[in-house]
Amino acid sequence: VLSGFVLSYFTLRPTRNSLKNQKLFMSNVAHELRTPLSTIKTSTEVLLLDNQLSKSTVTTLREIVEELDRASEIINNLLSLNRLLRPERIEFKSVDMREVASAVIKRLTPLAKARGTEIILAKGSTQKVWGSSSALEQVITNIVRNSVSYMPEERDGVVRISVQSDLRGSIITTIADNGIGISETDLVHIFEP
């Protein structure tokens, strides 16, 4: 048994080192990209304060800010993935899922309006869970963004978010839309990175 353990330890060492180097690389790249993106965003937002700008310039600058926000979100996802691979670094606390859903709706409403889709949060009371606010927001953002992005433009799209507790006291967050859905062949892959 001991010889098998020693053999597997040395056999898997290159894999462990490769994964460790990959996580370090992702983290370094993400941190290095944050500063220039932040600088570009700040400069763009300062330009937007100029009342002399034409309407088309303002529209373009706002689109730049939106794309910078999206790039920042991708970087945050990389850092979150790195943290998820090291769960001891994730900060857990009491999180109101309705507040998380509201924040997602606020952020994605411009995208939804541009695609002729409405995002609705069902009425309800505060629903608290023990978790990571940023991770939960990221999950809901990804699902709602997909719902909006894959909504056929000719359809009056509606994305409904519901946060309710069930009879056992579990908090259930449901996101439903009237879009095209996911094909059965892709359903088995939805939880893959």
Side-chain angles (χ1 to χ4, degrees):
V1 176
L2 182 60
S3 62
F5 175 77
V6 171
L7 180 63
S8 65
Y9 177 81
F10 285 106
T11 303
L12 294 174
R13 183 187 289 174
T15 304
R16 280 194 309 274
N17 289 341
S18 174
L19 182 59
K20 182 180 174 184
N21 289 336
Q22 185 179 7
K23 289 186 333 190
L24 182 63
F25 174 76
M26 276 189 341
S27 181
N28 288 340
V29 167
H31 281 294
E32 289 298 322
L33 287 173
R34 275 185 156 174
T35 303
L37 287 175
S38 178
T39 303
I40 294 167
K41 182 179 177 183
T42 302
S43 299
T44 306
E45 288 173 334
V46 168
L47 281 172
L48 280 167
L49 297 174
D50 184 352
N51 295 330
Q52 305 299 316
L53 296 175
S54 69
K55 209 173 195 176
S56 64
T57 302
V58 168
T59 300
T60 301
L61 291 174
R62 285 188 179 144
E63 287 172 359
I64 290 169
V65 170
E66 284 177 25
E67 291 303 316
L68 289 167
D69 286 340
R70 190 180 351 256
S72 292
E73 194 169 313
I74 291 168
I75 289 169
N76 288 337
N77 287 345
L78 282 173
L79 291 172
S80 293
L81 177 61
N82 199 26
R83 276 196 302 273
L84 287 173
L85 296 173
R86 293 157 60 188
E88 70 278 3
R89 294 190 161 201
I90 299 175
E91 180 186 336
F92 283 80
K93 60 183 180 181
S94 180
V95 178
D96 183 348
M97 287 302 295
R98 291 188 59 76
E99 286 180 12
V100 170
S102 294
V104 169
I105 291 170
K106 183 177 180 184
R107 186 178 325 108
L108 293 180
T109 292
L111 173 66
K113 280 186 178 175
R115 295 197 51 87
T117 299
E118 183 180 11
I119 308 173
I120 300 168
L121 177 59
K123 290 188 164 115
S125 57
T126 297
Q127 301 293 342
K128 296 209 173 188
V129 299
W130 186 252
S132 165
S133 180
S134 60
L136 291 166
E137 192 169 321
Q138 183 179 333
V139 169
I140 293 177
T141 297
N142 289 346
I143 296 169
V144 173
R145 179 180 283 124
N146 282 344
S147 290
V148 171
S149 298
Y150 290 99
M151 187 71 65
E153 292 192 33
E154 68 277 359
R155 186 174 295 176
D156 289 332
V158 178
V159 179
R160 297 181 193 284
I161 305 173
S162 169
V163 182
Q164 306 290 328
S165 60
D166 68 8
L167 296 174
R168 296 171 300 173
S170 297
I171 306 302
I172 309 291
T173 301
T174 306
I175 301 167
D177 64 57
N178 62 340
I180 59 174
I182 301 172
S183 71
E184 282 192 40
T185 56
D186 291 333
L187 276 176
V188 295
H189 302 292
I190 62 171
F191 292 109
E192 294 174 5

